[in-house]
């Protein structure tokens, strides 16, 4: 079975949005990957500042940023799709977003980037909110992609979080465990991630 997924993640070290589009082929339990296209999109200065100060902003401003950033991401994906002629090729988007709050000791973690907006703008199904089920099960949700990285090695010169966001989303889509209690300290293994429907079934 072959899947084509786009991984999306914020790179705080370079202040950019990372996109990795890849084809994943599974045979039994063996996965192979082909990187099809990548992009690194610098944040505009105003968005960069809003992301930097998100955790100390008011609740209304934080939620507005979540929505605004989601729409910005959706539009960047649309532009990426148009530039590289990828219409109807992307089956699934894994959205890691920009982690603004991570306090596993209180079961709280949140990544900015409204997945519903991304699904609506792109018309592609989106998997996001990777950590929440694990945290609710008393896990620490760290490292997020440990199981994924044991199943499939990161190709050279590809951004880590974006690549594994795509693969992690595929595991969720296939309803396979993608977080192990042995790794995170949770009460049980979990599928992880929420699905936002961007197209008709």
């Amino acid at each position: 079975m072959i899947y084509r997924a786009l991984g999306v993640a914020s790179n705080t070290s370079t202040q950019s949005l990372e996109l990795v589009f890849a084809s994943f082929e599974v045979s039994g339990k063996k996965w192979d990957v082909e990187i099809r296209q990548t992009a690194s999109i610098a944040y505009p200065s105003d968005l960069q500042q809003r992301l930097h100060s998100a955790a100390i902003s008011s609740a209304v401003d934080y939620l507005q940023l979540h929505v605004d950033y989601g729409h910005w991401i959706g539009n960047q994906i649309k532009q990426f799709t148009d530039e590289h002629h990828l219409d109807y090729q992307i089956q699934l988007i894994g959205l890691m977003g920009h982690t603004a709050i991570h306090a596993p000791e209180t079961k709280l973690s949140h990544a900015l980037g409204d997945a519903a907006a991304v699904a609506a703008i792109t018309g592609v199904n989106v998997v996001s909110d990777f950590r929440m089920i694990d945290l609710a099960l008393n896990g620490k949700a760290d490292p997020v992609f440990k199981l994924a990285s044991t199943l499939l090695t990161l190709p050279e010169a590809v951004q880590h979080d974006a690549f594994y966001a795509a693969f992690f989303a595929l595991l969720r889509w296939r309803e396979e465990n993608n977080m192990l209690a042995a790794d995170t300290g949770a009460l049980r293994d979990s599928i992880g991630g929420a699905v936002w429907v961007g197209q008709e079934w």
Side-chain angles (χ1 to χ4, degrees):
M1 185 73 180
I2 297 176
Y3 302 90
R4 297 183 302 276
L6 175 68
V8 182
S10 178
N11 188 334
T12 55
S13 62
T14 59
Q15 298 299 320
S16 60
L17 184 72
E18 305 293 336
L19 306 179
V20 176
F21 176 50
S23 294
F24 299 84
E25 184 173 5
V26 61
S27 177
K29 292 191 175 295
K30 184 179 184 301
W31 287 89
D32 291 306
V33 62
E34 176 190 355
I35 302 301
R36 303 279 296 277
Q37 195 69 52
T38 66
S40 183
I41 303 164
Y43 289 136
S45 57
D46 59 334
L47 178 57
Q48 183 177 329
Q49 181 56 42
R50 290 177 72 191
L51 292 172
H52 180 72
S53 59
I56 58 172
S57 61
S58 71
V60 172
D61 288 344
Y62 184 92
L63 292 173
Q64 188 62 61
L65 173 58
H66 180 58
V67 171
D68 292 347
Y69 183 48
H71 279 82
W72 184 82
I73 290 172
N75 287 321
Q76 300 310 306
I77 293 172
K78 281 291 287 181
Q79 185 173 334
F80 172 81
T81 300
D82 292 343
E83 286 179 355
H84 299 290
H85 310 290
L86 300 175
D87 288 331
Y88 307 109
Q89 293 189 49
I90 301 172
Q91 298 171 307
L92 186 65
I93 296 171
L95 176 62
M96 189 64 184
H98 180 91
T99 301
I101 301 169
H102 187 58
E105 64 279 1
T106 61
K107 298 181 174 58
L108 173 62
S109 184
H110 188 259
L112 291 162
D114 181 18
V118 175
I121 291 169
T122 63
V124 178
N125 295 324
V126 178
V127 178
S128 67
D129 301 324
F130 294 142
R131 295 183 173 104
M132 298 313 297
I133 293 176
D134 186 78
L135 288 170
L137 290 166
N138 296 333
K140 292 186 170 34
D142 259 339
V144 179
F145 300 128
K146 183 171 182 180
L147 175 59
S149 66
T150 64
L151 295 173
L152 188 59
T153 303
L154 178 72
E156 291 185 17
V158 174
Q159 207 275 340
H160 176 276
D161 286 345
F163 172 74
Y164 281 123
F167 186 46
F168 198 96
L170 286 178
L171 294 178
R172 169 63 181 86
W173 194 248
R174 286 164 53 90
E175 297 188 348
E176 295 184 18
N177 286 329
N178 52 26
M179 279 198 171
L180 298 181
D183 294 335
T184 68
L187 297 175
R188 61 173 170 79
D189 299 345
S190 65
I191 292 175
V195 179
W196 298 87
V197 180
Q199 59 188 354
E200 302 213 4
W201 293 85

